[in-house]
Amino acid sequence: MKLLSLVALLVLVGVAICDPYINGTWSSVQSWPFLTIHMVMLKNGKVLSYGTLNSGRPFLPDEEFYYDVWDPATNEHNTVTYYGGPKGNNLFCSGQVQLPSGQVLITGGSENMNDIPNYGIAHVQFFDPETDIIELADRNMYFPRWYPSVTTLGNGQVVVQGGRGGTEPKIGITTPEVYNPETGVWKMLTGANSTLYRQRQGWWYPKSYCARQNMVLLFPAQRNEIWKLDHRGDGSLTQVATVPGPAFMKEAPACMFDRNKVLAIQGMQDACVLDINNPDAPTYEKTGSLRERRIWATSVALPNGEVLVVGGASVSQELDAAVKFAEIWNPTTGQWRVGAEAAKARLYHSAAMLLPDATVLVGGGGRPGPVNNDDIEIYSPPYLFQANGDRATRPIITSLSTSEPDYGDTIQVTFQDATKIDRVSFIRAGSVTHSFNMDERMFSLEYTQNGNVLDVDLSFGRSVAPPGWYMLFIVNDEGVPSEAKFVGLPSP
């Protein structure tokens, strides 16, 4: 009893205890081909990443860009030189998302103009996971964009917002546009043109989520506001809510952890839950605050329903102020608990993303410094361990009746090494950069269990789970998740 009381006290005051069952563990630091700024979880379980050269500087006009495809199952890298786009274009600080086809749409980036760097570009590129090749699209966007957000809609199209570019490189782009993957055509949303994207750095990776098939909810930087973007016709943009507390910040993460519910960090430490099920009247609820201020942290939805936050610093870009320990938020209690401490500081330009084995890939940080990390670490959350520190026995998904069902279907999930399943989690394959996973969303699926078979109900709307690729996890009655199977939902 005294030992348990001491453990509880140490957790309460934020002392990191070296107990995997309580804090999880970190892998050793592993080298990476470059400083990774962008990560995408592909439908084949591999990870596409790109960023800057190992020195931390960007690619110059006389150099070719390169990117990497990593297989977590074998730890093998395929680092590829890209010759498809205009020479001197940099894809880092672009906006990327995986389409329902499995291709990755990469929008914008930057170029040098008259030897001046960081002018936005309108180029569009596609990565093909079957060939590991990036190719330049036939059509550009209407506007050059550096730091844009890309959000998948319920109809499988994608809306691009924000970014900066043009002849004045630091001026935000005020008109959103929509891409139709079926036709390859872009459409300007002239009715949604707004200085919102220009004021207070509103162009910087606007945090946006699909709320209804034709609606996107937007939390602009340095504001306490929620806006609704309607892409029908010429589009429209209207404010639908004002929330209390500190403002949403570009340096702070947000994460959809349940059906149209978003955990958002306000300021750099406070937290709230935003329910956007009704996009005309979203609601706000304060929840527990992070134990430390975190500037440039990243949040990750975990298959047990919790949310992990890693990286960042209490003072921007100060190495001595780096927050190296993980924090985990429990949606039932609204409280955070301390996780294990990483070896490396992960500051600006770091990224974190859930892997199919339910661990979390964390890497990058730098350009600008104070450090340039061309390496990664992998965090294993507490749910992977027993109380004695040994690895937990995990349920295993042995088969799915189909990996490409339709909305409204019921799929059969056969499993072993578990008696009772307490949760089936559906988590969209990640696409992360700059403290924001652009398509991240997680929710639990309804199911019935008959022995070692689950009948899993997919009768939810396209706004709950837009077309694309998801990781399906099962979680046993001890909170231990399986490895994921990939499930693809079709466009209309």
mmCIF file of all heavy atoms in Angstrom, residues 161-207:
data_model
loop_
_atom_site.group_PDB
_atom_site.id
_atom_site.type_symbol
_atom_site.label_atom_id
_atom_site.label_comp_id
_atom_site.label_asym_id
_atom_site.label_seq_id
_atom_site.Cartn_x
_atom_site.Cartn_y
_atom_site.Cartn_z
ATOM 1 N N GLN A 161 -6.193 24.986 -47.814
ATOM 2 C CA GLN A 161 -6.355 26.315 -47.240
ATOM 3 C C GLN A 161 -5.001 26.872 -46.827
ATOM 4 O O GLN A 161 -4.091 26.119 -46.454
ATOM 5 C CB GLN A 161 -7.216 26.274 -45.987
ATOM 6 C CG GLN A 161 -8.608 25.730 -46.149
ATOM 7 C CD GLN A 161 -9.268 25.613 -44.787
ATOM 8 O OE1 GLN A 161 -9.783 26.585 -44.246
ATOM 9 N NE2 GLN A 161 -9.268 24.418 -44.238
ATOM 10 N N GLY A 162 -4.924 28.202 -46.842
ATOM 11 C CA GLY A 162 -3.773 28.871 -46.261
ATOM 12 C C GLY A 162 -2.530 28.738 -47.106
ATOM 13 O O GLY A 162 -2.556 28.547 -48.317
ATOM 14 N N GLY A 163 -1.400 28.805 -46.438
ATOM 15 C CA GLY A 163 -0.127 28.887 -47.122
ATOM 16 C C GLY A 163 0.150 30.319 -47.531
ATOM 17 O O GLY A 163 -0.733 31.180 -47.532
ATOM 18 N N ARG A 164 1.382 30.569 -47.859
ATOM 19 C CA ARG A 164 1.754 31.905 -48.317
ATOM 20 C C ARG A 164 2.530 31.770 -49.612
ATOM 21 O O ARG A 164 3.045 30.709 -49.953
ATOM 22 C CB ARG A 164 2.583 32.627 -47.258
ATOM 23 C CG ARG A 164 3.974 32.074 -47.079
ATOM 24 C CD ARG A 164 4.706 32.732 -45.925
ATOM 25 N NE ARG A 164 6.148 32.553 -46.039
ATOM 26 C CZ ARG A 164 7.022 32.826 -45.069
ATOM 27 N NH1 ARG A 164 6.592 33.278 -43.912
ATOM 28 N NH2 ARG A 164 8.313 32.664 -45.263
ATOM 29 N N GLY A 165 2.640 32.880 -50.365
ATOM 30 C CA GLY A 165 3.368 32.793 -51.621
ATOM 31 C C GLY A 165 3.113 33.985 -52.501
ATOM 32 O O GLY A 165 2.708 35.049 -52.030
ATOM 33 N N GLY A 166 3.328 33.785 -53.797
ATOM 34 C CA GLY A 166 3.174 34.882 -54.741
ATOM 35 C C GLY A 166 4.423 35.730 -54.807
ATOM 36 O O GLY A 166 5.499 35.347 -54.358
ATOM 37 N N THR A 167 4.284 36.914 -55.359
ATOM 38 C CA THR A 167 5.439 37.797 -55.515
ATOM 39 C C THR A 167 5.896 38.392 -54.193
ATOM 40 O O THR A 167 7.003 38.896 -54.077
ATOM 41 C CB THR A 167 5.097 38.945 -56.485
ATOM 42 O OG1 THR A 167 3.929 39.629 -56.008
ATOM 43 C CG2 THR A 167 4.823 38.402 -57.875
ATOM 44 N N GLU A 168 5.029 38.334 -53.173
ATOM 45 C CA GLU A 168 5.414 38.749 -51.831
ATOM 46 C C GLU A 168 5.387 37.502 -50.946
ATOM 47 O O GLU A 168 4.320 37.029 -50.555
ATOM 48 C CB GLU A 168 4.451 39.812 -51.295
ATOM 49 C CG GLU A 168 4.442 41.095 -52.114
ATOM 50 C CD GLU A 168 3.504 42.122 -51.505
ATOM 51 O OE1 GLU A 168 3.749 42.537 -50.357
ATOM 52 O OE2 GLU A 168 2.530 42.494 -52.179
ATOM 53 N N PRO A 169 6.568 36.942 -50.620
ATOM 54 C CA PRO A 169 6.606 35.595 -50.053
ATOM 55 C C PRO A 169 5.960 35.446 -48.683
ATOM 56 O O PRO A 169 5.607 34.344 -48.292
ATOM 57 C CB PRO A 169 8.106 35.292 -49.981
ATOM 58 C CG PRO A 169 8.776 36.620 -49.965
ATOM 59 C CD PRO A 169 7.918 37.516 -50.804
ATOM 60 N N LYS A 170 5.796 36.518 -47.938
ATOM 61 C CA LYS A 170 5.259 36.386 -46.585
ATOM 62 C C LYS A 170 3.788 36.767 -46.488
ATOM 63 O O LYS A 170 3.251 36.917 -45.398
ATOM 64 C CB LYS A 170 6.092 37.222 -45.605
ATOM 65 C CG LYS A 170 7.517 36.712 -45.458
ATOM 66 C CD LYS A 170 8.263 37.434 -44.350
ATOM 67 C CE LYS A 170 9.660 36.851 -44.192
ATOM 68 N NZ LYS A 170 10.406 37.518 -43.088
ATOM 69 N N ILE A 171 3.118 36.906 -47.623
ATOM 70 C CA ILE A 171 1.707 37.273 -47.638
ATOM 71 C C ILE A 171 0.856 36.013 -47.775
ATOM 72 O O ILE A 171 1.059 35.194 -48.671
ATOM 73 C CB ILE A 171 1.402 38.256 -48.788
ATOM 74 C CG1 ILE A 171 2.242 39.529 -48.630
ATOM 75 C CG2 ILE A 171 -0.078 38.568 -48.837
ATOM 76 C CD1 ILE A 171 1.952 40.292 -47.341
ATOM 77 N N GLY A 172 -0.128 35.859 -46.893
ATOM 78 C CA GLY A 172 -0.973 34.675 -46.905
ATOM 79 C C GLY A 172 -1.917 34.642 -48.094
ATOM 80 O O GLY A 172 -2.360 35.685 -48.592
ATOM 81 N N ILE A 173 -2.222 33.428 -48.562
ATOM 82 C CA ILE A 173 -3.180 33.219 -49.653
ATOM 83 C C ILE A 173 -4.577 33.175 -49.046
ATOM 84 O O ILE A 173 -4.857 32.374 -48.153
ATOM 85 C CB ILE A 173 -2.864 31.913 -50.410
ATOM 86 C CG1 ILE A 173 -1.444 31.949 -50.971
ATOM 87 C CG2 ILE A 173 -3.891 31.690 -51.510
ATOM 88 C CD1 ILE A 173 -1.169 33.103 -51.919
ATOM 89 N N THR A 174 -5.463 33.997 -49.539
ATOM 90 C CA THR A 174 -6.761 34.209 -48.885
ATOM 91 C C THR A 174 -7.897 33.372 -49.463
ATOM 92 O O THR A 174 -9.003 33.383 -48.908
ATOM 93 C CB THR A 174 -7.155 35.697 -48.965
ATOM 94 O OG1 THR A 174 -7.213 36.095 -50.339
ATOM 95 C CG2 THR A 174 -6.146 36.566 -48.223
ATOM 96 N N THR A 175 -7.670 32.649 -50.555
ATOM 97 C CA THR A 175 -8.745 31.892 -51.200
ATOM 98 C C THR A 175 -8.482 30.392 -51.116
ATOM 99 O O THR A 175 -7.483 29.911 -51.653
ATOM 100 C CB THR A 175 -8.893 32.298 -52.680
ATOM 101 O OG1 THR A 175 -9.110 33.699 -52.770
ATOM 102 C CG2 THR A 175 -10.046 31.561 -53.330
ATOM 103 N N PRO A 176 -9.340 29.619 -50.462
ATOM 104 C CA PRO A 176 -9.195 28.164 -50.471
ATOM 105 C C PRO A 176 -9.502 27.591 -51.858
ATOM 106 O O PRO A 176 -10.113 28.263 -52.707
ATOM 107 C CB PRO A 176 -10.234 27.688 -49.443
ATOM 108 C CG PRO A 176 -10.658 28.901 -48.692
ATOM 109 C CD PRO A 176 -10.485 30.052 -49.629
ATOM 110 N N GLU A 177 -9.103 26.368 -52.072
ATOM 111 C CA GLU A 177 -9.454 25.667 -53.311
ATOM 112 C C GLU A 177 -9.641 24.191 -53.030
ATOM 113 O O GLU A 177 -9.176 23.668 -52.017
ATOM 114 C CB GLU A 177 -8.418 25.911 -54.411
ATOM 115 C CG GLU A 177 -6.973 25.722 -54.029
ATOM 116 C CD GLU A 177 -6.032 26.265 -55.107
ATOM 117 O OE1 GLU A 177 -6.139 25.849 -56.276
ATOM 118 O OE2 GLU A 177 -5.176 27.107 -54.781
ATOM 119 N N VAL A 178 -10.367 23.531 -53.923
ATOM 120 C CA VAL A 178 -10.742 22.119 -53.741
ATOM 121 C C VAL A 178 -10.235 21.312 -54.916
ATOM 122 O O VAL A 178 -10.357 21.733 -56.079
ATOM 123 C CB VAL A 178 -12.279 21.965 -53.620
ATOM 124 C CG1 VAL A 178 -12.661 20.495 -53.582
ATOM 125 C CG2 VAL A 178 -12.782 22.666 -52.355
ATOM 126 N N TYR A 179 -9.675 20.133 -54.614
ATOM 127 C CA TYR A 179 -9.175 19.231 -55.646
ATOM 128 C C TYR A 179 -10.074 18.013 -55.731
ATOM 129 O O TYR A 179 -10.446 17.418 -54.708
ATOM 130 C CB TYR A 179 -7.752 18.786 -55.317
ATOM 131 C CG TYR A 179 -7.202 17.759 -56.277
ATOM 132 C CD1 TYR A 179 -6.879 18.109 -57.578
ATOM 133 C CD2 TYR A 179 -7.026 16.433 -55.878
ATOM 134 C CE1 TYR A 179 -6.384 17.166 -58.469
ATOM 135 C CE2 TYR A 179 -6.522 15.487 -56.752
ATOM 136 C CZ TYR A 179 -6.218 15.857 -58.047
ATOM 137 O OH TYR A 179 -5.727 14.924 -58.923
ATOM 138 N N ASN A 180 -10.435 17.651 -56.959
ATOM 139 C CA ASN A 180 -11.236 16.461 -57.223
ATOM 140 C C ASN A 180 -10.329 15.368 -57.774
ATOM 141 O O ASN A 180 -9.881 15.455 -58.926
ATOM 142 C CB ASN A 180 -12.345 16.777 -58.225
ATOM 143 C CG ASN A 180 -13.300 15.614 -58.421
ATOM 144 O OD1 ASN A 180 -12.926 14.451 -58.264
ATOM 145 N ND2 ASN A 180 -14.540 15.917 -58.790
ATOM 146 N N PRO A 181 -10.021 14.308 -57.002
ATOM 147 C CA PRO A 181 -9.120 13.256 -57.492
ATOM 148 C C PRO A 181 -9.663 12.491 -58.691
ATOM 149 O O PRO A 181 -8.886 11.918 -59.465
ATOM 150 C CB PRO A 181 -8.977 12.325 -56.282
ATOM 151 C CG PRO A 181 -9.354 13.144 -55.099
ATOM 152 C CD PRO A 181 -10.410 14.073 -55.600
ATOM 153 N N GLU A 182 -10.990 12.466 -58.839
ATOM 154 C CA GLU A 182 -11.569 11.726 -59.961
ATOM 155 C C GLU A 182 -11.327 12.429 -61.291
ATOM 156 O O GLU A 182 -11.125 11.780 -62.314
ATOM 157 C CB GLU A 182 -13.070 11.537 -59.733
ATOM 158 C CG GLU A 182 -13.423 10.741 -58.485
ATOM 159 C CD GLU A 182 -12.890 9.321 -58.534
ATOM 160 O OE1 GLU A 182 -12.938 8.707 -59.617
ATOM 161 O OE2 GLU A 182 -12.425 8.833 -57.488
ATOM 162 N N THR A 183 -11.344 13.761 -61.283
ATOM 163 C CA THR A 183 -11.187 14.527 -62.527
ATOM 164 C C THR A 183 -9.830 15.210 -62.646
ATOM 165 O O THR A 183 -9.445 15.644 -63.736
ATOM 166 C CB THR A 183 -12.280 15.607 -62.623
ATOM 167 O OG1 THR A 183 -12.115 16.545 -61.538
ATOM 168 C CG2 THR A 183 -13.663 14.986 -62.546
ATOM 169 N N GLY A 184 -9.124 15.338 -61.531
ATOM 170 C CA GLY A 184 -7.847 16.052 -61.537
ATOM 171 C C GLY A 184 -7.994 17.560 -61.630
ATOM 172 O O GLY A 184 -7.025 18.264 -61.915
ATOM 173 N N VAL A 185 -9.194 18.066 -61.368
ATOM 174 C CA VAL A 185 -9.494 19.486 -61.544
ATOM 175 C C VAL A 185 -9.511 20.197 -60.196
ATOM 176 O O VAL A 185 -10.017 19.663 -59.198
ATOM 177 C CB VAL A 185 -10.851 19.672 -62.257
ATOM 178 C CG1 VAL A 185 -11.271 21.139 -62.280
ATOM 179 C CG2 VAL A 185 -10.771 19.113 -63.676
ATOM 180 N N TRP A 186 -8.972 21.419 -60.181
ATOM 181 C CA TRP A 186 -9.023 22.297 -59.013
ATOM 182 C C TRP A 186 -10.134 23.325 -59.183
ATOM 183 O O TRP A 186 -10.402 23.780 -60.285
ATOM 184 C CB TRP A 186 -7.692 23.022 -58.826
ATOM 185 C CG TRP A 186 -6.574 22.132 -58.394
ATOM 186 C CD1 TRP A 186 -5.729 21.419 -59.211
ATOM 187 C CD2 TRP A 186 -6.178 21.844 -57.050
ATOM 188 N NE1 TRP A 186 -4.841 20.699 -58.461
ATOM 189 C CE2 TRP A 186 -5.080 20.949 -57.124
ATOM 190 C CE3 TRP A 186 -6.638 22.255 -55.805
ATOM 191 C CZ2 TRP A 186 -4.435 20.463 -55.992
ATOM 192 C CZ3 TRP A 186 -6.000 21.771 -54.668
ATOM 193 C CH2 TRP A 186 -4.916 20.881 -54.776
ATOM 194 N N LYS A 187 -10.760 23.682 -58.061
ATOM 195 C CA LYS A 187 -11.808 24.702 -58.074
ATOM 196 C C LYS A 187 -11.506 25.743 -57.008
ATOM 197 O O LYS A 187 -11.263 25.407 -55.849
ATOM 198 C CB LYS A 187 -13.174 24.065 -57.791
ATOM 199 C CG LYS A 187 -14.341 25.058 -57.778
ATOM 200 C CD LYS A 187 -15.666 24.389 -57.420
ATOM 201 C CE LYS A 187 -15.785 24.112 -55.943
ATOM 202 N NZ LYS A 187 -17.152 23.677 -55.541
ATOM 203 N N MET A 188 -11.528 27.019 -57.393
ATOM 204 C CA MET A 188 -11.353 28.097 -56.426
ATOM 205 C C MET A 188 -12.643 28.326 -55.652
ATOM 206 O O MET A 188 -13.725 28.317 -56.234
ATOM 207 C CB MET A 188 -10.969 29.402 -57.134
ATOM 208 C CG MET A 188 -9.544 29.471 -57.614
ATOM 209 S SD MET A 188 -9.103 31.156 -58.141
ATOM 210 C CE MET A 188 -10.105 31.299 -59.624
ATOM 211 N N LEU A 189 -12.518 28.547 -54.356
ATOM 212 C CA LEU A 189 -13.664 28.900 -53.532
ATOM 213 C C LEU A 189 -13.654 30.412 -53.324
ATOM 214 O O LEU A 189 -13.309 30.914 -52.250
ATOM 215 C CB LEU A 189 -13.619 28.160 -52.196
ATOM 216 C CG LEU A 189 -13.650 26.627 -52.274
ATOM 217 C CD1 LEU A 189 -13.622 26.017 -50.879
ATOM 218 C CD2 LEU A 189 -14.876 26.135 -53.046
ATOM 219 N N THR A 190 -14.057 31.122 -54.376
ATOM 220 C CA THR A 190 -13.986 32.594 -54.332
ATOM 221 C C THR A 190 -14.918 33.175 -53.281
ATOM 222 O O THR A 190 -14.650 34.253 -52.727
ATOM 223 C CB THR A 190 -14.324 33.175 -55.709
ATOM 224 O OG1 THR A 190 -15.601 32.651 -56.143
ATOM 225 C CG2 THR A 190 -13.267 32.779 -56.727
ATOM 226 N N GLY A 191 -16.012 32.464 -52.971
ATOM 227 C CA GLY A 191 -16.937 32.949 -51.951
ATOM 228 C C GLY A 191 -16.393 32.827 -50.546
ATOM 229 O O GLY A 191 -16.946 33.416 -49.605
ATOM 230 N N ALA A 192 -15.296 32.056 -50.382
ATOM 231 C CA ALA A 192 -14.679 31.884 -49.066
ATOM 232 C C ALA A 192 -13.403 32.713 -48.930
ATOM 233 O O ALA A 192 -12.661 32.546 -47.955
ATOM 234 C CB ALA A 192 -14.387 30.412 -48.822
ATOM 235 N N ASN A 193 -13.148 33.581 -49.896
ATOM 236 C CA ASN A 193 -11.979 34.457 -49.807
ATOM 237 C C ASN A 193 -12.058 35.281 -48.523
ATOM 238 O O ASN A 193 -13.082 35.906 -48.238
ATOM 239 C CB ASN A 193 -11.928 35.374 -51.032
ATOM 240 C CG ASN A 193 -10.708 36.254 -51.035
ATOM 241 O OD1 ASN A 193 -10.577 37.162 -50.219
ATOM 242 N ND2 ASN A 193 -9.806 36.004 -51.968
ATOM 243 N N SER A 194 -10.984 35.276 -47.733
ATOM 244 C CA SER A 194 -11.049 35.952 -46.441
ATOM 245 C C SER A 194 -9.669 36.380 -45.971
ATOM 246 O O SER A 194 -8.687 35.631 -46.115
ATOM 247 C CB SER A 194 -11.673 35.022 -45.395
ATOM 248 O OG SER A 194 -11.632 35.610 -44.111
ATOM 249 N N THR A 195 -9.615 37.570 -45.362
ATOM 250 C CA THR A 195 -8.371 38.032 -44.750
ATOM 251 C C THR A 195 -8.047 37.242 -43.483
ATOM 252 O O THR A 195 -6.979 37.418 -42.902
ATOM 253 C CB THR A 195 -8.466 39.531 -44.400
ATOM 254 O OG1 THR A 195 -9.604 39.734 -43.538
ATOM 255 C CG2 THR A 195 -8.611 40.365 -45.660
ATOM 256 N N LEU A 196 -8.960 36.375 -43.062
ATOM 257 C CA LEU A 196 -8.675 35.490 -41.933
ATOM 258 C C LEU A 196 -7.379 34.726 -42.164
ATOM 259 O O LEU A 196 -6.627 34.454 -41.221
ATOM 260 C CB LEU A 196 -9.836 34.504 -41.769
ATOM 261 C CG LEU A 196 -9.747 33.505 -40.610
ATOM 262 C CD1 LEU A 196 -10.024 34.207 -39.290
ATOM 263 C CD2 LEU A 196 -10.750 32.366 -40.825
ATOM 264 N N TYR A 197 -7.111 34.351 -43.425
ATOM 265 C CA TYR A 197 -5.913 33.594 -43.763
ATOM 266 C C TYR A 197 -4.671 34.479 -43.837
ATOM 267 O O TYR A 197 -3.570 33.958 -44.039
ATOM 268 C CB TYR A 197 -6.100 32.880 -45.101
ATOM 269 C CG TYR A 197 -7.215 31.860 -45.101
ATOM 270 C CD1 TYR A 197 -8.399 32.092 -45.805
ATOM 271 C CD2 TYR A 197 -7.102 30.660 -44.411
ATOM 272 C CE1 TYR A 197 -9.422 31.158 -45.832
ATOM 273 C CE2 TYR A 197 -8.113 29.719 -44.426
ATOM 274 C CZ TYR A 197 -9.273 29.973 -45.136
ATOM 275 O OH TYR A 197 -10.276 29.045 -45.146
ATOM 276 N N ARG A 198 -4.841 35.762 -43.726
ATOM 277 C CA ARG A 198 -3.705 36.676 -43.835
ATOM 278 C C ARG A 198 -3.363 37.298 -42.496
ATOM 279 O O ARG A 198 -2.208 37.597 -42.208
ATOM 280 C CB ARG A 198 -4.018 37.768 -44.867
ATOM 281 C CG ARG A 198 -2.870 38.710 -45.147
ATOM 282 C CD ARG A 198 -3.108 39.480 -46.439
ATOM 283 N NE ARG A 198 -3.028 38.594 -47.608
ATOM 284 C CZ ARG A 198 -3.225 39.001 -48.855
ATOM 285 N NH1 ARG A 198 -3.556 40.266 -49.095
ATOM 286 N NH2 ARG A 198 -3.115 38.157 -49.860
ATOM 287 N N GLN A 199 -4.340 37.502 -41.657
ATOM 288 C CA GLN A 199 -4.119 38.143 -40.363
ATOM 289 C C GLN A 199 -3.599 37.140 -39.336
ATOM 290 O O GLN A 199 -3.981 35.973 -39.341
ATOM 291 C CB GLN A 199 -5.421 38.763 -39.857
ATOM 292 C CG GLN A 199 -6.000 39.819 -40.790
ATOM 293 C CD GLN A 199 -7.433 40.184 -40.427
ATOM 294 O OE1 GLN A 199 -8.070 39.510 -39.613
ATOM 295 N NE2 GLN A 199 -7.936 41.244 -41.035
ATOM 296 N N ARG A 200 -2.739 37.614 -38.445
ATOM 297 C CA ARG A 200 -2.245 36.827 -37.308
ATOM 298 C C ARG A 200 -1.681 35.466 -37.738
ATOM 299 O O ARG A 200 -1.875 34.453 -37.052
ATOM 300 C CB ARG A 200 -3.342 36.621 -36.262
ATOM 301 C CG ARG A 200 -4.041 37.892 -35.827
ATOM 302 C CD ARG A 200 -5.072 37.583 -34.754
ATOM 303 N NE ARG A 200 -6.045 38.657 -34.631
ATOM 304 C CZ ARG A 200 -7.061 38.639 -33.792
ATOM 305 N NH1 ARG A 200 -7.263 37.601 -32.997
ATOM 306 N NH2 ARG A 200 -7.910 39.651 -33.730
ATOM 307 N N GLN A 201 -1.015 35.453 -38.872
ATOM 308 C CA GLN A 201 -0.447 34.217 -39.424
ATOM 309 C C GLN A 201 -1.506 33.142 -39.627
ATOM 310 O O GLN A 201 -1.255 31.942 -39.438
ATOM 311 C CB GLN A 201 0.690 33.695 -38.534
ATOM 312 C CG GLN A 201 1.918 34.609 -38.539
ATOM 313 C CD GLN A 201 3.098 34.006 -37.833
ATOM 314 O OE1 GLN A 201 3.001 33.516 -36.728
ATOM 315 N NE2 GLN A 201 4.248 34.035 -38.497
ATOM 316 N N GLY A 202 -2.685 33.553 -40.040
ATOM 317 C CA GLY A 202 -3.759 32.606 -40.301
ATOM 318 C C GLY A 202 -3.482 31.688 -41.476
ATOM 319 O O GLY A 202 -4.196 30.699 -41.671
ATOM 320 N N TRP A 203 -2.448 31.977 -42.255
ATOM 321 C CA TRP A 203 -2.078 31.131 -43.394
ATOM 322 C C TRP A 203 -1.280 29.897 -42.945
ATOM 323 O O TRP A 203 -1.067 28.974 -43.722
ATOM 324 C CB TRP A 203 -1.216 31.921 -44.383
ATOM 325 C CG TRP A 203 -0.087 32.683 -43.740
ATOM 326 C CD1 TRP A 203 -0.105 33.992 -43.333
ATOM 327 C CD2 TRP A 203 1.217 32.188 -43.403
ATOM 328 N NE1 TRP A 203 1.104 34.337 -42.760
ATOM 329 C CE2 TRP A 203 1.942 33.251 -42.801
ATOM 330 C CE3 TRP A 203 1.851 30.966 -43.561
ATOM 331 C CZ2 TRP A 203 3.245 33.126 -42.348
ATOM 332 C CZ3 TRP A 203 3.167 30.826 -43.108
ATOM 333 C CH2 TRP A 203 3.848 31.903 -42.510
ATOM 334 N N TRP A 204 -0.812 29.867 -41.703
ATOM 335 C CA TRP A 204 0.136 28.845 -41.247
ATOM 336 C C TRP A 204 -0.595 27.552 -40.904
ATOM 337 O O TRP A 204 -1.181 27.417 -39.851
ATOM 338 C CB TRP A 204 0.882 29.367 -40.026
ATOM 339 C CG TRP A 204 2.005 28.486 -39.548
ATOM 340 C CD1 TRP A 204 1.909 27.202 -39.140
ATOM 341 C CD2 TRP A 204 3.375 28.856 -39.417
ATOM 342 N NE1 TRP A 204 3.125 26.715 -38.748
ATOM 343 C CE2 TRP A 204 4.053 27.714 -38.914
ATOM 344 C CE3 TRP A 204 4.100 30.017 -39.657
ATOM 345 C CZ2 TRP A 204 5.426 27.717 -38.652
ATOM 346 C CZ3 TRP A 204 5.458 30.012 -39.394
ATOM 347 C CH2 TRP A 204 6.110 28.883 -38.910
ATOM 348 N N TYR A 205 -0.549 26.577 -41.806
ATOM 349 C CA TYR A 205 -1.158 25.266 -41.590
ATOM 350 C C TYR A 205 -2.449 25.369 -40.773
ATOM 351 O O TYR A 205 -2.523 24.890 -39.633
ATOM 352 C CB TYR A 205 -0.181 24.319 -40.888
ATOM 353 C CG TYR A 205 0.951 23.848 -41.758
ATOM 354 C CD1 TYR A 205 2.270 24.208 -41.490
ATOM 355 C CD2 TYR A 205 0.700 23.029 -42.858
ATOM 356 C CE1 TYR A 205 3.312 23.778 -42.294
ATOM 357 C CE2 TYR A 205 1.737 22.586 -43.675
ATOM 358 C CZ TYR A 205 3.051 22.962 -43.382
ATOM 359 O OH TYR A 205 4.071 22.525 -44.186
ATOM 360 N N PRO A 206 -3.491 25.986 -41.339
ATOM 361 C CA PRO A 206 -4.744 26.132 -40.578
ATOM 362 C C PRO A 206 -5.252 24.770 -40.088
ATOM 363 O O PRO A 206 -5.337 23.814 -40.858
ATOM 364 C CB PRO A 206 -5.705 26.734 -41.607
ATOM 365 C CG PRO A 206 -4.823 27.390 -42.624
ATOM 366 C CD PRO A 206 -3.598 26.548 -42.696
ATOM 367 N N LYS A 207 -5.564 24.692 -38.802
ATOM 368 C CA LYS A 207 -6.040 23.435 -38.227
ATOM 369 C C LYS A 207 -7.511 23.257 -38.576
ATOM 370 O O LYS A 207 -8.365 24.020 -38.127
ATOM 371 C CB LYS A 207 -5.798 23.413 -36.728
ATOM 372 C CG LYS A 207 -4.309 23.330 -36.384
ATOM 373 C CD LYS A 207 -4.065 23.234 -34.904
ATOM 374 C CE LYS A 207 -2.580 22.971 -34.636
ATOM 375 N NZ LYS A 207 -1.717 24.082 -35.076
#
